[in-house]
Amino acid sequence: MTQLTHQSPLLHMQDIQISFGGVPALRQARLSVAAGEVHALIGQNGAGKSTLIKILTGAYQRAGGTVQFDGREVDFRTPKAAREAGISTIYQEINLVPYRSVAENIFLGREPRRFGMVDWRTVHRRAQELLESFGLEVDVKSAVGRHSTAIQQMVALARAVSSEAKMVIMDESTSSLDEREVELLFSVVRRLRDDGRAVIFVSHRLDELYALCDRVTVMRDGQTVAESELATFDKLQLVTTMLGRTLAEAVKEESAVKEANLAKRGAQKISVSHLGAPPKVNDVTLEVHAGEAVGLAGLLGSGRTETMRLMFGADLPGTGAVTIDGKLTPLKSPQDAIARGLAYLSEDRKAEGIIPDLSVRDNLTLVCLRTLSKHGVVDVKQQQQLVERFIAALGIKLRTADQPIRELSGGNQQKVLLARWLATQPKLLLLDEPTRGIDVGAKADVAKIVRELRDAGLAVLLSASELEELTAIADRAVVIRDGRTVAQLDGGEMSEAAIMDAIAYGGSHPSALAEAAQSATLDGVVGEQFND
C-alpha cells in the first residue's frame, strides 16, 4: 500500500465542532486525507462519522474549526458547492433517478452539448466506455432502476469518476453487494487511488478495511481518538480503540443483555418437532416463545427458507408436528397460518413481496383488506388511518402513500412489507433474510424494529446469511445443517464462532477456525452499531 506519512493532505479538518439542541455532536474532531490514498473512517453509532462528512460536504454548517481542501481554506455552504470543488459522495441510499437511463444518471447536469443541445450520442458513448472500463456490460440507455443494487452502486461511482472528482466519499457502499461485486467495486476504488484521487471509505466490515484501506481515522463520542496507518493496528486493537473498552467486556455486556431477554420471555407460541420434507428439510426441531427473537442459522442450502415455508403452510411437511399455543395444529395453507396468527416475510422481496405497480397504500394493506371491508367495500378512511400509523411507526420514507411502491428504496419497500404483516396483528413473525438487498442504514432500522417488536411481546424467528446481523438481533440461535437441527445456542452461548462451529462440526467439535472466529466476533460485537 502507498506510504503517506510525509505527503501533504488533500483534506485537513481540524478542531471541528457542532451541536444539536445544545448537545455537542462533534468536539475537536479532525480528519486528514492525502491524494492517492484510501482512508477508512470508522466508529460506533453516534461517533460522529456522518456528521463530519456532512460538514465537509456542506450539508451542515460547523460551529468551530477549519477545513482545508486542495490547498485552500474552504467553507462549503451547500452540497453543490462541495461537488463543484471536487468532492463526490456515494451515500448508503443510492442517490440516482430510477426512471432515467444509466447514461443520463452518470452525466446528469453535466451533459455534453453540441449547438446548445444535449449530444446524446456522446453521452451514450462516454457512459458505455466508462462502464466497460469497470468491467461492466450494461445497456446505458436502460432505466437505472431496473438494474441490481450492485450495478446502481457502480453507476454512482461512474458518475463520481466522470466528474473528475478529487475526492470520493463512499458510505457503506458494499452493504448490499455479494463477494464478486465487492471485488469489482474494490478494483475501481484502487484505480481511483492509482490515479491520484482520494477515497474516504466508511464500512463496518473489518476484512474490507484491511483489504482496501491505507490509513484509518477512528472516532468515538464525537471526537477523533486515533489516526494511523491501518497496518499498524490489528483487528483487536482497532475494535478496542473504537469501543473504548476491551472486546471481552463488550462480549460480556452483550451476553448479559441476551440472558436478561430470555429470562423475561413469555409462553411458547410455536414449536416444530422432527419437521421434514426431504430432501431440503429432514429433521428440524425448534420452538419460539413470546417476547424473544430466535435466529435460524445455517449455510446457503441448509434448509432455512424451506423450514420457514413449512411452518407457514406454504409447503406441506411429510413428517413432524407443529404446535401453536400448546395445540397440535397442522397447517395446510398460508391462509391457515395467517388465521392462527403467523406472518411470513419472504427473502425474495421483488418476486414474492411487493406488487411494483400498486401504490404503497395498496401494498401495505393487501393482507388485511378483508378486515378493512364491509360488504366487499373497503373503508377508505380506516385504511388511510392504518397506513398513516404504520408509515409513522416504521419511519417509512416516501412522497405519498399513493405513489407506486417501486419508486421507494429497497429498505423502505422492506418496511412496507413488514408493515403489511404487522397490520394483521400476528403472534409469530417469520422473517427470512429481512435485510437482504438493503443498505446498512435501513438494516439498522429493520433490526431496531424487530427488537422493539420482541420487547412488545411478539415471537420472532429470523434467518440471515450474515451471522453478524443474526447475533446482533437474536437472543438465541437454532443451527441447521443439511435440513437437520444440529445445535441450539442460548444467550451467552450464542456467538458467531459458536454458530460456525455448529455448522462445521454439529456443535460437538472444538473450533478449528480460531482466526475466522475471532474476526467474526469482532464484527459481531460492533456491527449493529457501527454506523452513524
Coordinates of all heavy atoms in Angstrom, one line a residue, residues 342-405:
L342 N -49.8 -16.3 12.4 CA -48.5 -16.3 11.8 C -48.4 -15.3 10.7 O -49.3 -15.1 9.9 CB -48.1 -17.7 11.3 CG -47.6 -18.7 12.3 CD1 -48.6 -19.1 13.4 CD2 -47.1 -20.0 11.6
A343 N -47.2 -14.8 10.5 CA -46.9 -13.9 9.4 C -45.5 -14.3 8.8 O -44.6 -14.6 9.6 CB -46.9 -12.4 9.8
Y344 N -45.3 -14.2 7.5 CA -44.1 -14.7 6.9 C -43.6 -13.6 5.9 O -44.3 -13.3 4.9 CB -44.4 -16.0 6.2 CG -43.2 -16.5 5.3 CD1 -41.9 -16.6 5.8 CD2 -43.4 -16.8 4.0 CE1 -40.9 -17.1 5.1 CE2 -42.4 -17.3 3.2 CZ -41.1 -17.4 3.7 OH -40.1 -17.9 3.0
L345 N -42.4 -13.1 6.1 CA -41.8 -12.1 5.2 C -40.7 -12.9 4.4 O -39.7 -13.4 4.9 CB -41.1 -11.0 6.0 CG -40.6 -9.8 5.2 CD1 -41.7 -9.1 4.5 CD2 -39.8 -8.9 6.1
S346 N -41.0 -13.1 3.1 CA -40.2 -13.9 2.2 C -38.8 -13.2 2.0 O -38.7 -12.0 2.1 CB -40.9 -14.1 0.9 OG -40.0 -14.6 -0.1
E347 N -37.8 -14.0 1.7 CA -36.5 -13.5 1.4 C -36.4 -12.8 0.0 O -35.6 -12.0 -0.2 CB -35.4 -14.6 1.4 CG -35.6 -15.6 0.2 CD -34.5 -16.6 0.2 OE1 -33.4 -16.3 0.7 OE2 -34.7 -17.7 -0.4
D348 N -37.4 -13.1 -0.9 CA -37.4 -12.5 -2.2 C -38.4 -11.4 -2.3 O -39.6 -11.6 -2.6 CB -37.7 -13.6 -3.3 CG -37.4 -13.1 -4.7 OD1 -37.3 -11.9 -4.9 OD2 -37.2 -14.0 -5.6
R349 N -38.0 -10.2 -2.0 CA -38.9 -9.1 -1.9 C -39.6 -8.8 -3.2 O -40.7 -8.5 -3.3 CB -38.1 -7.9 -1.4 CG -38.9 -6.6 -1.3 CD -38.1 -5.4 -0.7 NE -37.0 -5.0 -1.6 CZ -35.7 -5.2 -1.3 NH1 -35.4 -5.8 -0.2 NH2 -34.8 -4.8 -2.1
K350 N -38.8 -8.9 -4.3 CA -39.3 -8.5 -5.6 C -40.3 -9.5 -6.2 O -41.3 -9.2 -6.7 CB -38.2 -8.2 -6.6 CG -37.4 -7.0 -6.2 CD -36.3 -6.7 -7.3 CE -35.5 -5.5 -6.9 NZ -34.4 -5.2 -7.9
A351 N -40.0 -10.8 -6.0 CA -40.8 -11.9 -6.6 C -42.0 -12.3 -5.8 O -43.0 -12.6 -6.3 CB -39.9 -13.1 -6.9
E352 N -41.8 -12.2 -4.4 CA -42.8 -12.8 -3.5 C -43.3 -11.7 -2.5 O -44.1 -12.1 -1.6 CB -42.3 -14.0 -2.8 CG -41.9 -15.1 -3.7 CD -41.3 -16.3 -2.9 OE1 -41.1 -16.1 -1.7 OE2 -41.2 -17.4 -3.5
G353 N -42.9 -10.5 -2.7 CA -43.3 -9.5 -1.8 C -44.1 -8.3 -2.4 O -45.4 -8.3 -2.4
I354 N -43.4 -7.4 -3.0 CA -44.1 -6.2 -3.5 C -44.8 -6.5 -4.8 O -44.5 -7.4 -5.5 CB -43.1 -5.0 -3.7 CG1 -42.1 -5.4 -4.9 CG2 -42.3 -4.7 -2.5 CD1 -41.3 -4.2 -5.4
I355 N -45.9 -5.7 -5.0 CA -46.5 -5.6 -6.3 C -46.2 -4.3 -6.9 O -46.7 -3.2 -6.5 CB -48.0 -5.8 -6.2 CG1 -48.3 -7.1 -5.5 CG2 -48.7 -5.8 -7.6 CD1 -49.8 -7.4 -5.2
P356 N -45.1 -4.2 -7.8 CA -44.4 -3.0 -8.1 C -45.3 -1.8 -8.5 O -45.1 -0.7 -8.2 CB -43.5 -3.4 -9.3 CG -43.3 -4.9 -9.1 CD -44.6 -5.4 -8.5
D357 N -46.4 -2.1 -9.4 CA -47.2 -1.0 -9.9 C -48.3 -0.6 -9.0 O -49.0 0.4 -9.3 CB -47.7 -1.4 -11.3 CG -46.6 -1.6 -12.3 OD1 -45.6 -0.8 -12.2 OD2 -46.7 -2.5 -13.2
L358 N -48.5 -1.3 -7.9 CA -49.6 -0.9 -7.0 C -49.0 0.2 -6.0 O -47.8 0.2 -5.8 CB -50.1 -2.0 -6.2 CG -51.0 -3.0 -6.9 CD1 -51.6 -4.0 -5.9 CD2 -52.2 -2.3 -7.6
S359 N -49.8 1.0 -5.4 CA -49.4 2.0 -4.5 C -48.8 1.4 -3.2 O -49.1 0.3 -2.9 CB -50.5 3.0 -4.2 OG -51.5 2.3 -3.4
V360 N -48.1 2.3 -2.5 CA -47.7 1.9 -1.1 C -48.9 1.5 -0.3 O -48.9 0.5 0.4 CB -46.9 3.0 -0.5 CG1 -46.6 2.8 1.0 CG2 -45.6 3.3 -1.3
R361 N -49.9 2.3 -0.4 CA -51.2 2.1 0.4 C -51.7 0.6 0.1 O -52.0 -0.1 1.0 CB -52.2 3.1 0.0 CG -53.6 2.9 0.8 CD -54.7 3.7 0.1 NE -54.2 5.1 -0.3 CZ -54.1 6.1 0.5 NH1 -54.4 6.0 1.8 NH2 -53.7 7.2 0.0
D362 N -51.8 0.3 -1.2 CA -52.4 -1.0 -1.5 C -51.5 -2.1 -1.2 O -52.0 -3.2 -0.7 CB -52.7 -1.0 -3.0 CG -53.8 -0.1 -3.4 OD1 -54.7 0.2 -2.5 OD2 -53.9 0.3 -4.6
N363 N -50.2 -1.9 -1.3 CA -49.3 -3.0 -0.9 C -49.3 -3.2 0.6 O -49.2 -4.3 1.1 CB -47.8 -2.6 -1.3 CG -47.5 -3.1 -2.7 OD1 -47.0 -4.2 -2.9 ND2 -47.6 -2.3 -3.7
L364 N -49.4 -2.1 1.4 CA -49.3 -2.3 2.8 C -50.6 -3.0 3.4 O -50.5 -3.8 4.3 CB -49.2 -0.9 3.4 CG -48.8 -0.8 4.9 CD1 -48.1 0.5 5.2 CD2 -50.0 -1.0 5.9
T365 N -51.7 -2.7 2.8 CA -53.0 -3.3 3.3 C -53.5 -4.5 2.6 O -54.6 -5.0 2.8 CB -54.1 -2.2 3.2 OG1 -54.2 -1.7 1.9 CG2 -53.7 -1.0 4.1
L366 N -52.6 -5.1 1.7 CA -53.1 -6.2 0.9 C -53.6 -7.4 1.7 O -54.6 -8.0 1.3 CB -51.9 -6.6 0.0 CG -52.2 -7.6 -1.1 CD1 -53.1 -7.0 -2.1 CD2 -50.9 -8.0 -1.8
V367 N -52.9 -7.8 2.8 CA -53.3 -9.0 3.5 C -54.5 -8.7 4.4 O -55.3 -9.7 4.7 CB -52.1 -9.5 4.3 CG1 -52.5 -10.7 5.1 CG2 -50.9 -9.8 3.4
C368 N -54.7 -7.5 4.9 CA -55.8 -7.2 5.8 C -57.0 -6.5 5.2 O -57.8 -5.9 5.9 CB -55.2 -6.4 7.0 SG -54.6 -4.8 6.6
L369 N -57.1 -6.6 3.9 CA -58.2 -5.9 3.2 C -59.6 -6.4 3.7 O -60.6 -5.7 3.8 CB -58.2 -6.1 1.7 CG -57.2 -5.1 1.0 CD1 -57.2 -5.5 -0.5 CD2 -57.6 -3.7 1.2
R370 N -59.6 -7.7 4.0 CA -60.9 -8.3 4.5 C -61.4 -7.6 5.8 O -62.6 -7.3 6.0 CB -60.8 -9.8 4.7 CG -62.1 -10.5 5.1 CD -61.9 -12.0 5.1 NE -61.6 -12.5 3.7 CZ -61.3 -13.7 3.4 NH1 -61.3 -14.7 4.4 NH2 -61.0 -14.1 2.2
T371 N -60.4 -7.3 6.7 CA -60.8 -6.7 8.0 C -61.1 -5.2 7.8 O -61.7 -4.6 8.7 CB -59.7 -6.9 9.0 OG1 -58.5 -6.2 8.5 CG2 -59.4 -8.3 9.2
L372 N -60.7 -4.6 6.7 CA -61.0 -3.2 6.4 C -62.2 -3.0 5.5 O -62.6 -1.9 5.2 CB -59.8 -2.6 5.7 CG -58.5 -2.5 6.4 CD1 -57.3 -2.0 5.5 CD2 -58.6 -1.6 7.7
S373 N -62.9 -4.1 5.2 CA -64.0 -4.1 4.3 C -65.3 -4.4 5.0 O -65.4 -5.2 6.0 CB -63.8 -5.0 3.1 OG -62.6 -4.7 2.4
K374 N -66.4 -3.9 4.4 CA -67.8 -4.2 4.9 C -68.6 -4.4 3.6 O -68.7 -3.5 2.8 CB -68.3 -3.1 5.7 CG -69.6 -3.4 6.4 CD -70.1 -2.3 7.4 CE -71.4 -2.7 8.1 NZ -71.8 -1.7 9.0
H375 N -69.2 -5.6 3.5 CA -70.0 -6.0 2.3 C -69.1 -5.9 1.1 O -69.7 -5.4 0.0 CB -71.2 -5.2 2.2 CG -72.1 -5.2 3.5 ND1 -72.5 -6.4 4.0 CD2 -72.5 -4.2 4.3 CE1 -73.3 -6.1 5.1 NE2 -73.3 -4.8 5.3
G376 N -67.8 -6.2 1.2 CA -67.0 -6.1 0.0 C -66.5 -4.8 -0.4 O -65.8 -4.6 -1.4
V377 N -66.8 -3.7 0.4 CA -66.3 -2.4 0.1 C -65.3 -1.9 1.1 O -65.6 -2.0 2.3 CB -67.5 -1.4 0.0 CG1 -67.0 0.0 -0.2 CG2 -68.5 -1.8 -1.0
V378 N -64.1 -1.5 0.7 CA -63.1 -1.1 1.6 C -63.4 0.2 2.3 O -63.8 1.2 1.6 CB -61.7 -1.0 0.9 CG1 -60.6 -0.4 1.8 CG2 -61.3 -2.3 0.3
D379 N -63.3 0.3 3.6 CA -63.5 1.5 4.3 C -62.2 2.4 4.1 O -61.2 2.1 4.8 CB -63.7 1.2 5.8 CG -64.0 2.4 6.7 OD1 -63.5 3.5 6.3 OD2 -64.6 2.3 7.7
V380 N -62.3 3.3 3.2 CA -61.1 4.1 2.8 C -60.5 4.9 4.0 O -59.3 5.0 4.2 CB -61.4 5.0 1.7 CG1 -60.3 5.9 1.3 CG2 -61.9 4.2 0.5
K381 N -61.4 5.4 4.8 CA -60.9 6.2 6.0 C -60.1 5.3 6.9 O -59.0 5.7 7.4 CB -62.1 6.8 6.7 CG -61.7 7.7 7.8 CD -62.9 8.4 8.5 CE -62.5 9.3 9.6 NZ -63.7 10.0 10.3
Q382 N -60.6 4.1 7.2 CA -60.0 3.2 8.1 C -58.6 2.8 7.5 O -57.6 2.7 8.2 CB -60.9 2.0 8.4 CG -60.3 1.1 9.5 CD -61.2 -0.1 9.8 OE1 -62.3 -0.2 9.2 NE2 -60.8 -1.0 10.7
Q383 N -58.6 2.5 6.2 CA -57.4 2.1 5.5 C -56.4 3.2 5.6 O -55.2 3.0 5.9 CB -57.7 1.8 4.0 CG -56.5 1.3 3.3 CD -56.8 1.2 1.8 OE1 -57.5 2.1 1.2 NE2 -56.3 0.2 1.1
Q384 N -56.8 4.5 5.4 CA -55.9 5.6 5.4 C -55.2 5.7 6.8 O -54.0 6.0 7.0 CB -56.6 6.9 5.1 CG -55.7 8.1 5.1 CD -54.6 8.2 4.1 OE1 -54.7 7.4 3.1 NE2 -53.7 9.1 4.3
Q385 N -56.1 5.6 7.9 CA -55.6 5.7 9.2 C -54.5 4.6 9.5 O -53.5 4.9 10.2 CB -56.7 5.6 10.2 CG -57.6 6.8 10.2 CD -58.9 6.6 11.1 OE1 -59.2 5.5 11.5 NE2 -59.6 7.7 11.4
L386 N -54.8 3.4 9.0 CA -53.9 2.3 9.3 C -52.6 2.5 8.6 O -51.5 2.4 9.1 CB -54.5 1.0 8.7 CG -53.7 -0.3 8.9 CD1 -53.6 -0.7 10.3 CD2 -54.2 -1.4 8.0
V387 N -52.6 3.0 7.3 CA -51.4 3.3 6.5 C -50.6 4.4 7.2 O -49.4 4.2 7.3 CB -51.8 3.6 5.1 CG1 -50.6 4.2 4.3 CG2 -52.4 2.4 4.4
E388 N -51.2 5.4 7.6 CA -50.5 6.6 8.2 C -49.9 6.1 9.5 O -48.7 6.6 9.8 CB -51.5 7.7 8.5 CG -51.9 8.4 7.2 CD -53.0 9.5 7.5 OE1 -53.4 9.6 8.6 OE2 -53.3 10.3 6.5
R389 N -50.5 5.3 10.3 CA -50.0 4.8 11.5 C -48.7 4.0 11.3 O -47.7 4.2 12.0 CB -51.0 3.9 12.3 CG -50.5 3.3 13.6 CD -51.7 3.0 14.5 NE -52.6 2.0 13.9 CZ -52.4 0.6 14.0 NH1 -51.4 0.2 14.7 NH2 -53.2 -0.2 13.5
F390 N -48.7 3.1 10.3 CA -47.5 2.3 10.1 C -46.4 3.1 9.4 O -45.2 2.8 9.7 CB -47.9 1.0 9.4 CG -48.5 -0.1 10.2 CD1 -49.8 -0.4 10.2 CD2 -47.6 -0.7 11.1 CE1 -50.3 -1.3 11.0 CE2 -48.2 -1.7 11.9 CZ -49.5 -2.0 11.9
I391 N -46.7 4.0 8.6 CA -45.7 4.8 8.0 C -44.9 5.6 9.0 O -43.7 5.7 9.0 CB -46.3 5.8 6.9 CG1 -46.7 5.0 5.7 CG2 -45.3 6.9 6.6 CD1 -47.5 5.9 4.7
A392 N -45.7 6.1 10.0 CA -45.1 6.9 11.1 C -44.3 5.9 12.0 O -43.2 6.2 12.4 CB -46.1 7.6 11.9
A393 N -44.9 4.8 12.4 CA -44.3 3.9 13.3 C -43.0 3.3 12.8 O -42.0 3.1 13.6 CB -45.3 2.8 13.7
L394 N -42.9 3.0 11.5 CA -41.7 2.3 11.0 C -40.8 3.3 10.3 O -39.7 2.9 9.8 CB -42.1 1.2 10.0 CG -43.0 0.1 10.5 CD1 -43.2 -1.0 9.5 CD2 -42.5 -0.4 11.8
G395 N -41.2 4.6 10.3 CA -40.3 5.6 9.6 C -40.1 5.4 8.2 O -39.0 5.5 7.6
I396 N -41.2 5.0 7.5 CA -41.1 4.8 6.0 C -41.0 6.1 5.3 O -41.8 7.0 5.5 CB -42.4 4.0 5.5 CG1 -42.5 2.7 6.2 CG2 -42.3 3.8 4.0 CD1 -43.8 2.0 6.0
K397 N -40.0 6.3 4.5 CA -39.7 7.5 3.7 C -40.3 7.4 2.3 O -40.0 6.5 1.5 CB -38.2 7.8 3.6 CG -37.5 8.0 5.0 CD -36.0 8.2 4.8 CE -35.4 8.3 6.2 NZ -33.9 8.5 6.0
L398 N -41.2 8.3 2.1 CA -41.9 8.3 0.8 C -42.5 9.7 0.5 O -42.6 10.5 1.4 CB -43.0 7.3 0.8 CG -44.3 7.5 1.6 CD1 -45.3 6.4 1.3 CD2 -44.1 7.6 3.1
R399 N -42.9 9.9 -0.7 CA -43.6 11.2 -1.1 C -45.0 11.2 -0.6 O -45.5 12.1 0.1 CB -43.6 11.4 -2.6 CG -42.5 12.3 -3.1 CD -42.7 12.7 -4.6 NE -43.7 12.0 -5.3 CZ -43.4 10.9 -6.0 NH1 -42.2 10.4 -6.1 NH2 -44.4 10.3 -6.7
T400 N -45.7 10.1 -1.0 CA -47.1 10.0 -0.7 C -47.5 8.5 -0.7 O -46.8 7.7 -1.4 CB -48.0 10.7 -1.7 OG1 -49.4 10.3 -1.5 CG2 -47.6 10.4 -3.1
A401 N -48.5 8.1 0.1 CA -48.9 6.7 0.1 C -49.5 6.2 -1.2 O -49.6 5.0 -1.4 CB -49.9 6.5 1.3
D402 N -49.8 7.2 -2.1 CA -50.4 6.8 -3.4 C -49.3 6.5 -4.4 O -49.7 6.1 -5.5 CB -51.3 7.9 -3.8 CG -52.6 8.0 -2.9 OD1 -53.1 7.0 -2.5 OD2 -52.9 9.1 -2.6
Q403 N -48.1 6.8 -4.2 CA -47.1 6.5 -5.2 C -46.8 5.0 -5.3 O -46.9 4.3 -4.4 CB -45.8 7.3 -4.9 CG -44.9 6.7 -3.7 CD -43.7 7.6 -3.4 OE1 -43.7 8.3 -2.4 NE2 -42.7 7.5 -4.3
P404 N -46.4 4.6 -6.5 CA -46.1 3.1 -6.7 C -45.0 2.7 -5.8 O -44.0 3.5 -5.6 CB -45.7 3.1 -8.2 CG -46.3 4.3 -8.8 CD -46.3 5.3 -7.8
I405 N -45.1 1.5 -5.2 CA -44.0 1.1 -4.3 C -42.7 0.9 -5.0 O -41.6 1.0 -4.3 CB -44.5 -0.2 -3.6 CG1 -43.6 -0.5 -2.4 CG2 -44.5 -1.4 -4.6 CD1 -44.1 -1.6 -1.5

